[in-house]
Amino acid sequence: MSEKLEILKKKILYRSLYRGTKEMDILLSSFVKEHINSFNERQLKELEKFLEYEDETILNYYNLNFIEKNIDKNEVSKFFKVFKI
């Protein structure tokens, strides 16, 4: 695997671990750890974009199926929606 992809994976993992709330740290880092090695480069870039959403937006989408800011247009969001810890 290319060094560029490994750097991207490390960036994504870091971003998922340090969200601001412990609940989101656990939820997102668990999701990332489960999927990061199976995603291709395009999906990794989608995951990076997904992690740019605010915690509240992600949590509302996950728990309440409340869609805002086109979060459901991100391919990774479909994996996240069905993810269970």
Side-chain angles (χ1 to χ4, degrees):
M1 185 157 300
S2 75
E3 185 176 334
K4 183 179 175 182
L5 230 47
E6 285 303 315
I7 291 170
L8 177 59
K9 285 182 177 184
K10 288 177 183 179
K11 180 180 176 183
I12 289 169
L13 184 58
Y14 180 85
R15 182 71 176 113
S16 73
L17 283 166
Y18 300 100
R19 296 297 300 187
T21 63
K22 198 56 154 169
E23 294 83 4
M24 288 304 289
D25 292 350
I26 293 168
L27 179 61
L28 288 173
S29 67
S30 297
F31 173 73
V32 167
K33 287 175 184 175
E34 183 170 314
H35 292 284
I36 197 164
N37 290 318
S38 63
F39 283 169
N40 61 35
E41 185 174 357
R42 181 182 48 74
Q43 290 170 318
L44 288 171
K45 289 180 180 177
E46 286 287 312
L47 178 55
E48 183 179 35
K49 289 179 188 175
F50 180 77
L51 292 174
E52 291 176 3
Y53 287 107
E54 296 174 9
D55 288 354
E56 185 178 356
T57 301
I58 294 172
L59 196 57
N60 285 340
Y61 175 69
Y62 184 73
N63 286 330
L64 307 172
N65 203 25
F66 182 72
I67 300 170
E68 61 181 89
K69 300 182 182 179
N70 292 321
I71 193 170
D72 63 327
K73 303 288 189 244
N74 186 304
E75 177 186 349
V76 172
S77 67
K78 293 167 183 62
F79 292 102
F80 181 71
K81 185 66 178 169
V82 296
F83 175 74
K84 302 292 181 215
I85 293 180

